[in-house]
Amino acid sequence: MNCETLLDQISARCDAFRADLTAAAQNLRDFNRRLEQIIQQLHKDMAVRDEAFAGQFNQYCLDLRKKLDGDEPFWTQTRNQVRACKDADWTGDLALAAKGLNSRAKTLSRACDEFTTAYDAFYRRYTGFTASKLNVWLLTSCQNDAASLTGKILFLAREIAKKTERNRGPHVYG
């Protein structure tokens, strides 16, 4: 596989991962809102109206775990392919696409930060909630894995951008 095709694949998967994290953060904010309502109902000794919350939350965590586990082999293989490419293979004509990938990786990082913020808000609200069994440990694992993978993608994008920039040549700057 040549570097240009690899760069296109990385960019497309980076955008898909960002979309997944954005959706996951939005779902988590919705779960946080629902949990707040449940806690208020319990605090007022009212019957909890949202009986499906625990099942839906646990399914959300399982689906998120499957999605992250499904993406991991692609990113591992891609990082290995990028390492296998020689520095000279990252030609200067790929510099614009590499900068675009770097920008996409930064956007992905912001989406991961939003997911982490949603996770933190949910976890603060969840602390002390014992009315139902929630798989928050699985959500914590997903959040840690998403943050770790995002960091690796960001590093990979920066390395590719550096390599292409180095190969642009001195005539570009002058």
Side-chain angles (χ1 to χ4, degrees):
M1 177 179 306
N2 68 10
C3 293
E4 184 175 2
T5 305
L6 188 59
L7 197 55
D8 290 341
Q9 283 182 348
I10 294 170
S11 293
R13 288 299 285 261
C14 193
D15 286 341
F17 188 39
R18 180 191 49 79
D20 291 342
L21 279 180
T22 301
Q26 181 58 44
N27 288 339
L28 192 52
R29 284 189 288 271
D30 291 341
F31 280 119
N32 190 26
R33 181 189 47 77
R34 289 170 63 188
L35 180 62
E36 181 179 13
Q37 290 174 344
I38 290 170
I39 290 172
Q40 287 175 355
Q41 290 167 358
L42 289 172
H43 184 68
K44 295 176 183 178
D45 289 329
M46 297 172 59
V48 175
R49 289 175 253 162
D50 193 353
E51 295 174 4
F53 175 79
Q56 290 173 352
F57 177 79
N58 290 339
Q59 187 60 47
Y60 161 79
C61 291
L62 288 172
D63 292 343
L64 186 58
R65 178 80 266 160
K66 279 185 209 173
K67 181 68 179 148
L68 288 171
D69 287 345
D71 284 350
E72 184 65 33
F74 169 80
W75 290 109
T76 301
Q77 179 184 8
T78 300
R79 286 194 316 271
N80 290 336
Q81 288 174 341
V82 168
R83 286 185 202 119
C85 292
K86 297 178 183 112
D87 285 356
D89 293 342
W90 297 100
T91 58
D93 61 333
L94 296 176
L96 186 59
K99 285 182 181 182
L101 172 62
N102 199 18
S103 177
R104 283 181 172 90
K106 288 177 184 176
T107 305
L108 169 63
S109 179
R110 284 191 290 277
C112 186
D113 290 345
E114 289 176 17
F115 178 68
T116 299
T117 301
Y119 164 78
D120 289 342
F122 182 86
Y123 193 79
R124 274 194 308 274
R125 186 155 327 278
Y126 168 75
T127 304
F129 177 73
T130 58
S132 61
K133 178 98 169 115
L134 300 179
N135 290 340
V136 176
W137 60 271
L138 189 57
L139 180 63
T140 301
S141 169
C142 291
Q143 187 275 325
N144 288 334
D145 289 350
S148 174
L149 184 57
T150 299
K152 290 175 185 176
I153 293 168
L154 195 56
F155 180 77
L156 182 72
R158 286 178 182 154
E159 287 300 307
I160 291 172
K162 278 188 217 173
K163 290 178 183 181
T164 57
E165 195 63 35
R166 261 186 263 145
N167 291 333
R168 283 180 75 188
H171 60 280
V172 176
Y173 301 110

